[in-house]
């Protein structure tokens, strides 16, 4: 009876095929994970924005205090949170009313992206939404590609280059 076994060449071909498949699948997996995290970020911001609009209807002004809003924030609040900033292990959310431009925003440090909504009674850009890819002004980064796909824009609305603060942002249509 003859022993059956794989030859070294057959094993190398199989390892090469697995390597090629992994090289194709890993970037797609990373993109899917980043899109999911961004979608979660958008949901959190929208929940806060909805709570702000309800607060506005009742009080004729927006709140800059999370405690006044009727919104359940996801778990993970860190001790250094303030009335207007809610810190998590993954990032930060805030409510602001500066220069008659009330907005709600969250930044996810795992994706290096943020999402903002200007509230309906804002003087400038009411109801506008903004996707921001932090860390680079390169419009070809994975974050910028996600913003492009989300917003339907092919060119950035703005970029900023400064030490420790680089980003590319895209307004939603």
């Amino acid at each position: 009876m003859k022993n059956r076994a794989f030859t070294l060449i057959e094993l190398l071909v199989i390892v090469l095929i697995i390597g090629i498949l992994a090289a194709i699948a890993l970037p797609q997996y990373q993109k899917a994970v980043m899109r999911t995290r961004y979608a979660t970020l958008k949901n959190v911001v929208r929940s806060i924005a909805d709570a702000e609009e309800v607060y506005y209807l009742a009080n004729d002004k927006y709140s800059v205090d999370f405690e006044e809003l009727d919104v359940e924030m996801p778990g993970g609040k860190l001790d250094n949170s303030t009335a207007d900033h809610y810190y998590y292990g993954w990032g930060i959310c805030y409510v602001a009313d500066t220069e008659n431009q009330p907005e709600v925003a969250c930044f996810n440090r795992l994706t290096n992206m943020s999402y903002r909504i200007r509230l309906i009674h804002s003087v400038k850009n009411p109801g506008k939404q903004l996707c921001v890819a932090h860390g680079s002004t390169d419009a070809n980064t994975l974050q910028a590609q996600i913003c492009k796909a989300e917003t339907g824009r092919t060119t950035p609305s703005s970029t900023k280059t400064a030490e420790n603060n680089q980003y590319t942002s895209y307004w939603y249509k």
Side-chain angles (χ1 to χ4, degrees):
M1 183 173 213
K2 193 174 183 183
N3 287 341
R4 294 185 160 245
F6 292 109
T7 65
L8 183 58
I9 297 295
E10 291 170 327
L11 288 174
L12 287 174
V13 168
I14 290 171
V15 168
L16 179 66
I17 291 171
I18 291 171
I20 290 170
L21 290 174
I24 293 169
L26 186 61
Q28 293 303 317
Y29 172 75
Q30 289 172 330
K31 191 172 186 176
V33 167
M34 193 167 291
R35 279 182 184 248
T36 302
R37 287 181 176 158
Y38 183 70
T40 302
L41 186 70
K42 282 175 57 176
N43 287 336
V44 170
V45 172
R46 286 188 178 141
S47 295
I48 299 167
D50 289 345
E52 280 281 20
E53 295 303 341
V54 169
Y55 185 89
Y56 186 90
L57 289 173
N59 300 289
D60 202 30
K61 67 176 183 169
Y62 289 110
S63 174
V64 290
D65 187 348
F66 279 102
E67 298 296 322
E68 294 177 342
L69 300 176
D70 186 22
V71 63
E72 276 219 27
M73 298 296 290
K77 181 178 177 182
L78 299 179
D79 290 339
N80 59 342
S81 295
T82 60
D84 60 342
H85 285 73
Y86 207 91
Y87 289 90
Y88 296 96
W90 53 263
I92 180 176
C93 291
Y94 71 86
V95 291
D97 188 5
T98 55
E99 299 175 18
N100 292 318
Q101 297 178 43
E103 70 178 13
V104 174
C106 286
F107 168 73
N108 186 323
R109 67 176 178 78
L110 301 175
T111 61
N112 216 17
M113 296 178 75
S114 64
Y115 176 69
R116 295 176 181 192
I117 294 179
R118 290 271 165 83
L119 298 172
I120 293 172
H121 296 91
S122 176
V123 173
K124 184 177 179 185
N125 297 318
K128 287 285 189 169
Q129 304 164 48
L130 186 68
C131 176
V132 183
H134 296 274
S136 173
T137 57
D138 182 1
N140 295 315
T141 63
L142 181 56
Q143 293 90 340
Q145 289 174 9
I146 290 171
C147 282
K148 286 179 193 178
E150 287 283 322
T151 62
R153 302 226 180 233
T154 55
T155 56
S157 304
S158 64
T159 57
K160 181 178 181 181
T161 304
E163 191 177 330
N164 301 327
N165 190 10
Q166 296 181 327
Y167 66 82
T168 305
S169 61
Y170 299 81
W171 284 107
Y172 281 76
K173 288 185 177 179

